[in-house]
Amino acid sequence: MEFGLGFFIAFIIAITGVGAGTITAPLLILVLHVPIAVSVGTALAYSTVVKAVVVPLQIVRKQVSWRVLAVMLAGGLPGVVVGTLLFRRYSALKGHALFFGVLGAVIVFSSAWHLFRHFRPNAIAGQRPARMKTIGALMFPIAAEVGFSSSGAGALGSLALMSLSPLSAAQIVGTDLAFAFCVTLLGSGMHFADGSIDKALLVKLVIGGVVGAMAGSIVAPRVPNKQLRLALSVVLLALGIQFCYQAVAKQFSAHSSNGRSASSSHSSTVQPVAPHALALAQPQASTTQSR
């Protein structure tokens, strides 16, 4: 199953271009029932391996703007550290509702972004002024979200570059991929040091992913890419909505269980009063008998 899932994820990425982080963690949770604390670190590590294969090609094609990448990393590297530390905290506190909510929101946004690009393919075209300080500032929360849920760097980073930089479409893709590689590399390294990566699962995913990437690269020219991307975006949109629903349900369940525990603790504090009342009543009974 693990080999097949790694093959499927890499195959989908090769023929559609949808980011590894967007689909890896949800599939690990839903299909393999991997614990959340392990799924995020493993998904980050798998995404790093996939990007390590793609980014050198972008560099060779001169599609990476090093100046913009440096500004992005200045805000992104501290952000992924903060996001990873926050994930450790909420994972230890069993903050599953928050995780499902964040992951669901990112998936919904990512799929909506892909749908927008499908129906507005020329939206990236045109010259825009470079707002480097704003780009650097936005990369902090974007990278923090990547460290927290392993997804979002692709869609959120591309949207920021599209709106705030004069880069061409090819440069936006290449620069954002290089940024995502650096961020996921640091995030997966922190998860590895924390022991929250399933190494055996990662190896199986990578082996299946290598075969899947090769197969996808062969099949991609013969497959209607736009139609597949559209179908996958719709499926991801439904998946993201499902995660958001689960977040609301888990939060409601947590409130209900807290209410029940509070009522039970209240009743447990009331019950011990009876023996004290009996003890207070005993002197009165003895006084009556003496009379």
Side-chain angles (χ1 to χ4, degrees), residues 116-152:
F116 173 78
R117 291 184 61 186
H118 176 82
F119 293 104
R120 296 286 302 276
N122 297 323
I124 298 180
Q127 292 294 323
R128 292 159 299 278
R131 300 179 181 177
M132 306 302 283
K133 293 182 179 179
T134 306
I135 292 174
L138 285 176
M139 291 306 112
F140 183 89
I142 290 175
E145 190 282 321
V146 173
F148 189 84
S149 69
S150 81
S151 61

Side-chain angles (χ1 to χ4, degrees), residues 30-283:
L30 297 177
V31 177
L32 298 182
H33 305 290
V34 177
I36 292 176
V38 178
S39 65
V40 172
T42 306
L44 275 173
Y46 178 76
S47 179
T48 302
V49 173
V50 172
K51 290 178 174 64
V53 178
V54 179
V55 170
L57 298 177
Q58 301 293 329
I59 295 175
V60 170
R61 295 171 183 171
K62 298 182 178 180
Q63 295 178 357
V64 177
S65 174
W66 298 105
R67 177 169 172 264
V68 175
L69 177 61
V71 173
M72 295 174 72
L73 292 177
L77 294 181
V80 72
V81 172
V82 172
T84 304
L85 294 177
L86 285 175
F87 175 77
R88 289 180 183 177
R89 173 180 174 81
Y90 281 98
S91 176
L93 296 176
K94 305 297 182 182
H96 294 169
L98 178 63
F99 173 81
F100 274 80
V102 171
L103 183 58
V106 172
I107 294 175
V108 168
F109 182 87
S110 299
S111 56
W113 167 240
H114 287 295
L115 289 172
F116 173 78
R117 291 184 61 186
H118 176 82
F119 293 104
R120 296 286 302 276
N122 297 323
I124 298 180
Q127 292 294 323
R128 292 159 299 278
R131 300 179 181 177
M132 306 302 283
K133 293 182 179 179
T134 306
I135 292 174
L138 285 176
M139 291 306 112
F140 183 89
I142 290 175
E145 190 282 321
V146 173
F148 189 84
S149 69
S150 81
S151 61
L156 298 174
S158 296
L159 180 60
L161 292 179
M162 183 192 75
S163 305
L164 302 171
S165 75
L167 300 180
S168 65
Q171 288 177 319
I172 288 175
V173 173
T175 305
D176 187 55
L177 277 173
F179 168 73
F181 169 73
C182 296
V183 168
T184 56
L185 179 63
L186 177 58
S188 60
M190 292 182 64
H191 282 277
F192 182 84
D194 192 40
S196 58
I197 293 180
D198 189 332
K199 302 177 185 62
L201 173 61
L202 177 61
V203 170
K204 294 178 181 178
L205 289 173
V206 170
I207 293 175
V210 170
V211 180
M214 295 173 59
S217 300
I218 296 173
V219 174
R222 309 174 186 176
V223 176
N225 183 276
K226 290 185 177 181
Q227 287 75 6
L228 279 175
R229 185 190 293 270
L230 176 61
L232 182 60
S233 298
V234 172
V235 173
L236 285 175
L237 181 62
L239 180 64
I241 294 174
Q242 174 65 19
F243 269 98
C244 292
Y245 171 78
Q246 290 187 17
V248 175
K250 288 178 180 294
Q251 188 67 23
F252 180 78
S253 176
H255 281 299
S256 299
S257 60
N258 289 337
R260 288 193 298 267
S261 61
S263 60
S264 62
S265 63
H266 177 71
S267 61
S268 64
T269 57
V270 172
Q271 289 176 0
V273 175
H276 295 290
L278 291 176
L280 292 174
Q282 286 178 357

